Structure formats: structure tokens, C-alpha cells
Amino acid sequence: MTAQQSIHTGTLGTLGGEALLKVENLILGYGEGAEEKRIIENLSLEVGYSEFVSIVGPSGVGKTTLLRGLSGLLKPKSGLLDIHGEPINGPHPDIGVVFQDYSSTLMPWMTSRENVAFPLQGQGKGKAERNKLADEALEKVGLGGQGDKFPWEMSGGMQQRVSIARALAYNAQILLMDEPFASVDAQTRFDLEDLVIQLREKLGVTIMLVTHDVDEAIYLADKVIVIANKPATVVDVIETGFGSNRDQVTTKADPRFQDARARILTRLRK
């Protein structure tokens, strides 16, 4: 392996430029006093504009809890959490979330257009504008012309595309994804991974993915943050160096991919 092909240790700062999302000494948990259970402890990181960051860790380490904290759905016990310099005190209009269980987040009695448009009511937009934004978002995820279909008429992969479209319709700057492809078959998973890469390139959106799938974390991200231990904290940071040109076959055969994979698995097994 040449020096140019080697992965290298990253930092918890941005890969370049201004930080969009900043986390400092974040503590997340449940309960109070003697009943308090800490899940995340003293976690710090920065994510820049248009960066793709994967957070990988073993099952049960607290990845979903971390995502809930980053999205404003769970109030931190302590620490700093802000987006473009403003504190995150609850669900934020610049943060969209895509959950793993798409089947429970889509309303079966609503069409795909209605599912995407429904949350936009909270922004005070009229019906015509909501439907326009929904159709545009569906087009971005490859579902143009599918707005009249109901979730039960769609495959699992198509339903997850609707979930992604719903997050995009907000025009959010950050897309948080909680193991979004865990419930689909392998080929659909590869297609959705490539879709997300394309969306980042076309829209310039910042994406943070939490997953226990090491290969997925490496393939998608510019930087992989490894969390472990209980309470969980950062134990390693790796910059992949793949750039925007990625392929399911050639990228995963790259020596840097294999090197990163071995390093992360070693970390997780300690």
C-alpha cells in the first residue's frame, strides 16, 4: 500500500471551513438523580457544510440516543450543541431526520405526496406550495410521477425514498439518518446508499449517518467517527479520502477501504 493509498487519522473538527454543527462535551441520558443512566458522555465533534460524517458503533452503544440529541428530540444533560452558532433547544427547521423504520413513520392512508407534504403544514405553507415542494422532493429521490401512490403500493426501498424526500422537503441543511437502510435487501441498500451520495453532491446537504454497519459507514462518509464504551464516547476518527467518485465494487476493493475496515473492527472489539 502506497502512502497515497493509506487512510489517516482524522480530527473532531471540520475537514475544512466553518463548522455548521458543533458539539462540545455532550452528555445524554435518561432519568434524574440516583435513577440517571448516562448513555453518551463528554462527546465532542464538529461537522462542516456539505460534509458526510458516519458515526459507527456496536449495537446498543447509544447511536439512536445520540441522533435524538443531535436532532433536538432529547435534551442534553449538559454540554454545548448548536447549529450555525445557535443553540439547539428542540426540533430545528434546518435539521431533517430519516428513521430506520420507514413503515411506521409513513401514514398508510396518505399518498406519497401527502406524506411528504404533511409536515410542511407546520411551516405555514399553503396546500399548493406544500404539494409543489413534495413533488420536487420526490423527483430528487427518483420518484417523479409517483406522488399518487400509497405506501402499501410501494416496495420497501421506495418507501424509504419517500422518507428521505420528506426530510429534503424541509430544505434542511443537515440530514440525520438513523440506520436508514437496515430494513431493506442488499441490492436495494446499495442503490439507496448511492442515492444518498448523489443527493449530497447535487444539493450540498450535510449528512450524518449513524449505523452499526462498518462497510456502509466507510463507503458513504468523508469521515468515520467510532464510538464505543458505556457511557459511549469517541474512540477513533478516520478520514476515508475517497472524494465524490465512489463505486460499490471499486471503492470497496480499495486498500484504504480494507485498512479502515480492519482498524474500525479492531477498535469495536476492544
Side-chain angles (χ1 to χ4, degrees):
M1 185 185 302
T2 67
Q4 289 76 17
Q5 292 176 313
S6 299
I7 61 167
H8 60 282
T9 300
T11 70
L12 290 171
T14 67
L15 293 176
E18 182 183 357
L20 171 58
L21 180 73
K22 182 179 291 187
V23 181
E24 290 184 4
N25 300 318
L26 183 68
I27 296 178
L28 295 170
Y30 302 95
E32 300 292 340
E35 302 299 321
E36 179 183 341
K37 181 179 181 181
R38 289 193 176 183
I39 308 298
I40 304 292
E41 188 165 57
N42 296 328
L43 187 142
S44 299
L45 59 89
E46 292 183 359
V47 183
Y49 290 83
S50 299
E51 285 186 359
F52 199 129
V53 174
S54 289
I55 299 176
V56 65
S59 295
V61 76
K63 297 185 296 297
T64 296
T65 298
L66 176 58
L67 182 139
R68 285 174 54 82
L70 296 176
S71 66
L73 295 173
L74 177 64
K75 184 179 179 180
K77 296 291 185 181
S78 66
L80 171 71
L81 178 60
D82 68 41
I83 179 170
H84 44 68
E86 301 174 357
I88 299 174
N89 297 315
H92 197 283
D94 286 337
I95 300 176
V97 184
V98 178
F99 296 100
Q100 174 183 341
D101 189 4
Y102 52 81
S103 61
S104 66
T105 60
L106 297 179
M107 313 296 184
W109 60 88
M110 289 185 177
T111 64
S112 60
R113 180 186 298 109
E114 290 169 337
N115 266 289
V116 174
F118 179 71
L120 297 175
Q121 293 184 42
Q123 296 183 344
K125 302 183 187 298
K127 183 177 180 180
E129 185 179 4
R130 294 198 304 270
N131 288 340
K132 178 177 180 291
L133 291 171
D135 284 337
E136 290 174 353
L138 288 168
E139 182 73 35
K140 289 173 183 175
V141 300
L143 292 179
Q146 305 295 312
D148 293 326
K149 285 190 175 182
F150 291 92
W152 45 268
E153 296 180 295
M154 296 176 148
S155 67
M158 293 175 72
Q159 290 181 51
Q160 190 59 302
R161 286 174 186 251
V162 174
S163 296
I164 295 171
R166 183 169 54 192
L168 293 175
Y170 277 100
N171 198 29
Q173 290 183 284
I174 298 178
L175 195 61
L176 300 179
M177 311 188 83
D178 182 14
E179 303 197 44
F181 315 133
S183 301
V184 297
D185 63 85
Q187 184 57 56
T188 300
R189 185 177 193 139
F190 295 156
D191 291 342
L192 289 171
E193 288 173 351
D194 290 338
L195 169 67
V196 170
I197 290 174
Q198 294 165 14
L199 289 173
R200 194 277 291 265
E201 292 301 311
K202 290 180 181 178
L203 305 179
V205 65
T206 296
I207 300 176
M208 294 187 69
L209 172 87
V210 295
T211 181
H212 68 274
D213 189 305
V214 174
D215 287 4
E216 181 173 84
I218 300 168
Y219 178 67
L220 289 173
D222 304 312
K223 179 165 60 181
V224 180
I225 296 175
V226 186
I227 63 173
N229 306 326
K230 290 189 177 182
T233 192
V234 175
V235 297
D236 202 358
V237 183
I238 297 170
E239 293 177 15
T240 62
F242 296 136
S244 59
N245 297 318
R246 306 181 190 209
D247 176 84
Q248 291 285 351
V249 176
T250 57
T251 301
K252 291 179 179 178
D254 191 307
R256 291 171 297 178
F257 189 97
Q258 303 301 325
D259 191 7
R261 188 174 191 273
R263 176 167 159 176
I264 292 171
L265 287 174
T266 299
R267 274 291 191 182
L268 294 178
R269 288 176 177 174
K270 284 185 177 180

